[in-house]
Amino acid sequence: MTAAQVPAAGTSRHPTVLDELRLALRECRFDDARGLLDQAWSLALKQGTLSIAQTAFSYGTFAERVGDLPMAEKMYRVALERASGLSPRFAKPLRLRIHVRLGAVYCGLGRHSVAEQILTDAHRAYTAAATAPAEEVADACDELGVLARITGRYEDAEKLHNQSLTLLSAVLTSDDPRLATVWAHIGNTARSLGEPWRAEGYVRRALRMHSEALGDSHVDVASDRILLAQILMATGHHAEARTHLIGARDALRHCFGPDHPTVGEVYDLLGGLAYRQNDYKDAQKHFAHALEVQQAVLGPHHQGLVVTLSNLALLHKKQHEYERAYGYYSRARQILTRSVDPDRTTLRFVDAALARLLDRARTAPQGL
């Protein structure tokens, strides 16, 4: 979700603080946003259930924005609990907004089956409500599309993103950054469909729109650069891909500091780029740095480490260091099997890689 998509949770009883908070999130001033949240929470505790529900929702959007998904889940749950005590007039629209964001959080946490149920229910409720705001319906469509892409249902994903784009185009100006976010999602789906040339056009459009509206140091611009770099790597445009990755890294450091999971993702991609260019020393350096950042933030057993562990395994396998490769794949498999809702596509890939290494150990005199 972009900063511009942080939803207005009804009519606030302390609009000045929450308006300033939304502006701070839009501009990626996260330290300011933390202070504004403290002010909003103090005011809400004096003003009653509706204000507490709204402020908890805003706290959840902040946590989601900075990548603290467990905290986002917690605060959205607080908002849901408080909303249950409101009259239907206030409770229903707020609960629907919360459910959409909760679904997005569960998708980010890898709990895809839970996300599917929550987002599908919210989408049905919005579809049944003739007066639902177009932007909120579009948000539900877009998040369902993200989930569909992640779970391999690419045609569904593209259809949902296009529905979101149609809804938003009817109520927003053509340069609104919320449209750019959907264009980026459409581009990502095209990439997943194996159509990098089509994907590149969509993502370049998103990057241009986000950059013009939000500035080059914004998180959303960094996200577009990361996606564009992945597409360019697939089409062999390595020099431009590296330029975008370095730009994304610098923007993310500016917004979050050096220790953030998305910074680790950039280092992982820089490692992948070096690997494609047969610079294994540089690849090792970047993959190791990525793993260091990810472990520091996510812990040693988070599913977010699996891609980097698999890349390290592939790198060592390429250099005939089979025992080290087996160790990294084994750790990746352990993380996946311990997950509540594992990425089964990746698990099958890791299992197949381990099986090939074991076959080699049985047939080669020196084993692993």
Side-chain angles (χ1 to χ4, degrees), residues 205-326:
R205 179 175 185 168
L207 175 59
R208 182 180 67 254
M209 292 173 68
H210 272 143
S211 181
E212 290 174 354
L214 304 172
D216 288 338
S217 295
H218 198 277
V219 170
D220 293 332
V221 174
S223 296
D224 292 342
R225 286 188 182 278
I226 291 170
L227 180 54
L228 182 56
Q230 290 173 303
I231 295 166
L232 292 169
M233 286 166 65
T235 55
H237 294 83
H238 296 153
E240 188 183 353
R242 181 177 175 80
T243 297
H244 284 297
L245 288 174
I246 295 299
R249 182 200 64 188
D250 293 346
L252 291 167
R253 282 174 166 175
H254 172 77
C255 293
F256 298 125
D259 297 324
H260 190 272
T262 315
V263 177
E265 179 187 344
V266 173
Y267 279 114
D268 183 78
L269 289 169
L270 284 167
L273 182 59
Y275 177 86
R276 285 170 180 265
Q277 297 174 300
N278 298 318
D279 187 346
Y280 300 143
K281 183 177 180 180
D282 201 40
Q284 170 72 34
K285 179 186 73 175
H286 287 308
F287 287 145
H289 197 168
L291 188 61
E292 180 183 354
V293 171
Q294 291 163 348
Q295 287 182 143
V297 181
L298 302 174
H301 307 299
H302 195 279
Q303 199 166 179
L305 277 60
V306 168
V307 170
T308 301
L309 289 168
S310 299
N311 285 338
L312 278 163
L314 186 62
L315 176 65
H316 288 295
K317 181 183 176 184
K318 183 73 173 180
Q319 298 176 92
H320 308 292
E321 298 169 353
Y322 300 113
E323 187 172 354
R324 296 187 71 181
Y326 188 86

Side-chain angles (χ1 to χ4, degrees), residues 1-7 21-30 61 65 177-178 181 210 214 218-220:
M1 182 176 69
T2 69
Q5 280 179 289
V6 175
L21 171 61
R22 282 188 283 273
L23 181 60
L25 287 173
R26 178 187 171 93
E27 296 175 352
C28 295
R29 292 183 286 109
F30 298 123
T61 62
R65 191 70 176 133
R178 284 170 287 189
T181 297
H210 272 143
L214 304 172
H218 198 277
V219 170
D220 293 332

Side-chain angles (χ1 to χ4, degrees), residues 7-11 50 53-54 57 79-80 83-84 86-101 122 125-126 129 131-133 135-137 139-140:
T11 303
L50 176 59
Q54 292 172 338
F57 180 83
L80 270 180
S84 65
L86 299 173
S87 68
R89 175 192 170 194
F90 294 107
K92 186 175 180 179
L94 180 55
R95 286 176 65 85
L96 277 175
R97 283 193 290 273
I98 297 167
H99 275 116
V100 171
R101 297 315 326 147
Y126 273 127
T131 58
E135 293 168 66
E136 294 178 19
V137 183
D139 195 23

Side-chain angles (χ1 to χ4, degrees), residues 157-207:
E158 196 156 42
K159 180 180 177 181
L160 286 159
H161 289 318
N162 279 313
Q163 287 177 8
S164 178
L165 193 64
T166 299
L167 288 163
L168 290 176
S169 296
V171 296
L172 301 177
T173 60
S174 61
D175 59 351
D176 194 289
R178 284 170 287 189
L179 290 168
T181 297
V182 184
W183 280 117
H185 290 163
I186 294 172
N188 205 359
T189 303
R191 180 177 76 99
S192 299
L193 281 165
E195 301 173 1
W197 303 109
R198 186 164 68 97
E200 182 180 341
Y202 294 140
V203 178
R204 285 193 187 279
R205 179 175 185 168
L207 175 59

